[in-house]
Amino acid sequence: MRAKRPIYADTYDRRRNITIVILVIVVLAAIGVGVWWWGHKNPRPSEAKYPKLGVRMSQADGVLDASELEDGGVSFVYLKATQGASFVDDNFATNESRAGNLKVGAYHYFSFDSTPQAQAENFIKHVSDAGELPIGIYVTYYGNYASDPPKASVVAAKLTTLINFLQAYYQQGVVLMGSPSTLAKIKRLRRVLRGM
């Protein structure tokens, strides 16, 4: 005669097994989403359109590891040197000395609150060699300027003056840097810049 089991004897085991299966599915899905997000967060741009990769670094990114960047296909780096009329990036000199075979460019974080002359003087005071690349000027509409940007003519005049100071001192080209939306706004300034 077979031993009788109550109807609900394996209910707990089934629930536990279903819970474990659901947890495994949720964990695998989370890992999959994380891998997808990481891969799409900063995907490799088209090699045909952008055959050379570069990075922009500031003290917030830590200390440069040239061999790691080179292993990732990076061939140049822009290092933040200054911001506004007085800020100096603490890691600029260290990162510049650690660049190895990477081409180096220095960039300035543009301030709407400082005069172009004061910003140029800050950059010139702290950057003896601006590197092999054009000097970068990083522009973003920060703080209250994001919701209430200055007039295009004011931005154009300040950028033009800063560019002129830097080009005259270093005898080197200048490139404007920023987010796609900021660069789109600046692109619209070209007419204003040309008219000055």
Coordinates of all heavy atoms in Angstrom, one line a residue, residues 14 45 47 57 76 87 90 99-101 110 136 152 155 163 168 170 191:
R14 N 6.8 23.9 -4.8 CA 6.5 24.5 -6.1 C 6.6 26.1 -6.1 O 7.2 26.7 -7.0 CB 5.1 24.1 -6.6 CG 5.1 22.8 -7.3 CD 3.8 22.6 -7.9 NE 2.9 22.1 -6.8 CZ 1.7 21.7 -7.0 NH1 1.1 21.8 -8.1 NH2 1.0 21.4 -5.9
P45 N 31.7 55.5 -32.6 CA 31.1 56.2 -33.8 C 31.6 55.5 -35.1 O 32.5 54.7 -35.0 CB 31.7 57.6 -33.7 CG 32.3 57.7 -32.4 CD 32.6 56.4 -31.9
E47 N 33.4 54.2 -38.0 CA 34.8 54.3 -38.3 C 35.1 55.0 -39.6 O 36.1 55.7 -39.8 CB 35.4 52.9 -38.3 CG 35.7 52.4 -36.9 CD 36.5 51.1 -37.0 OE1 37.6 51.1 -37.4 OE2 36.0 50.1 -36.5
M57 N 39.1 65.0 -21.1 CA 39.3 64.7 -19.6 C 39.4 65.9 -18.8 O 40.0 66.9 -19.2 CB 40.5 63.8 -19.4 CG 40.4 62.4 -20.0 SD 41.8 61.3 -19.5 CE 41.5 61.2 -17.7
F76 N 43.9 60.4 -29.4 CA 44.2 61.8 -28.9 C 43.3 62.1 -27.7 O 42.3 61.4 -27.4 CB 44.0 62.8 -30.0 CG 42.5 63.0 -30.4 CD1 41.7 64.0 -29.8 CD2 42.0 62.3 -31.5 CE1 40.4 64.1 -30.2 CE2 40.7 62.4 -31.9 CZ 39.9 63.4 -31.3
F87 N 39.8 79.4 -12.4 CA 39.9 78.0 -12.1 C 41.0 77.3 -12.9 O 41.2 77.6 -14.1 CB 38.6 77.3 -12.3 CG 38.6 75.8 -12.1 CD1 38.5 75.3 -10.8 CD2 38.8 74.9 -13.1 CE1 38.5 74.0 -10.6 CE2 38.9 73.6 -12.9 CZ 38.7 73.1 -11.6
D90 N 43.2 70.7 -11.5 CA 44.3 70.1 -10.7 C 45.1 69.0 -11.4 O 46.3 68.8 -11.1 CB 43.8 69.5 -9.4 CG 43.2 70.6 -8.5 OD1 43.7 71.8 -8.6 OD2 42.4 70.3 -7.6
A99 N 50.5 61.3 -20.9 CA 49.8 61.1 -22.2 C 50.5 60.1 -23.1 O 49.9 59.5 -24.0 CB 49.6 62.4 -22.9
G100 N 51.8 59.8 -22.9 CA 52.4 58.8 -23.7 C 52.4 59.1 -25.2 O 52.8 60.2 -25.6
N101 N 51.9 58.2 -26.0 CA 51.9 58.4 -27.4 C 50.6 59.1 -27.9 O 50.4 59.3 -29.1 CB 52.0 57.0 -28.1 CG 53.3 56.4 -27.9 OD1 54.3 57.0 -27.8 ND2 53.3 55.0 -27.8
F110 N 34.6 77.6 -21.1 CA 34.1 79.0 -21.3 C 33.1 79.4 -20.2 O 32.3 78.6 -19.8 CB 33.5 79.1 -22.7 CG 33.0 80.5 -23.0 CD1 33.9 81.4 -23.4 CD2 31.7 80.8 -23.0 CE1 33.5 82.7 -23.7 CE2 31.2 82.1 -23.3 CZ 32.1 83.0 -23.6
G136 N 41.0 73.8 -27.5 CA 39.6 73.6 -27.4 C 39.0 74.7 -26.5 O 39.5 75.1 -25.4
A152 N 22.5 85.9 -28.6 CA 23.5 85.3 -29.5 C 24.6 86.3 -29.8 O 25.8 85.8 -29.9 CB 22.8 84.9 -30.8
V155 N 27.2 86.2 -26.9 CA 28.0 85.0 -27.0 C 29.0 85.0 -28.1 O 30.2 84.7 -27.9 CB 27.1 83.7 -27.1 CG1 27.9 82.5 -27.2 CG2 26.2 83.6 -25.9
I163 N 38.8 83.7 -28.8 CA 39.4 83.0 -29.9 C 40.6 83.8 -30.4 O 41.7 83.3 -30.6 CB 38.5 82.6 -31.0 CG1 37.5 81.5 -30.5 CG2 39.2 82.2 -32.3 CD1 36.3 81.3 -31.5
A168 N 46.2 84.5 -31.3 CA 47.3 85.5 -31.4 C 48.5 85.0 -30.5 O 49.6 85.1 -30.9 CB 46.9 86.9 -31.0
Y170 N 49.1 81.8 -29.2 CA 49.7 80.5 -29.5 C 50.0 80.2 -30.9 O 50.6 79.2 -31.3 CB 48.7 79.4 -28.9 CG 48.7 79.4 -27.4 CD1 47.6 80.0 -26.7 CD2 49.6 78.7 -26.7 CE1 47.6 79.9 -25.4 CE2 49.6 78.7 -25.3 CZ 48.5 79.3 -24.6 OH 48.5 79.3 -23.3
R191 N 26.8 83.1 -38.5 CA 26.5 84.4 -39.3 C 26.9 85.6 -38.4 O 27.4 86.5 -38.9 CB 25.0 84.4 -39.6 CG 24.5 83.5 -40.6 CD 23.1 83.8 -41.0 NE 22.2 83.9 -39.9 CZ 21.3 83.0 -39.5 NH1 21.2 81.9 -40.2 NH2 20.6 83.2 -38.4

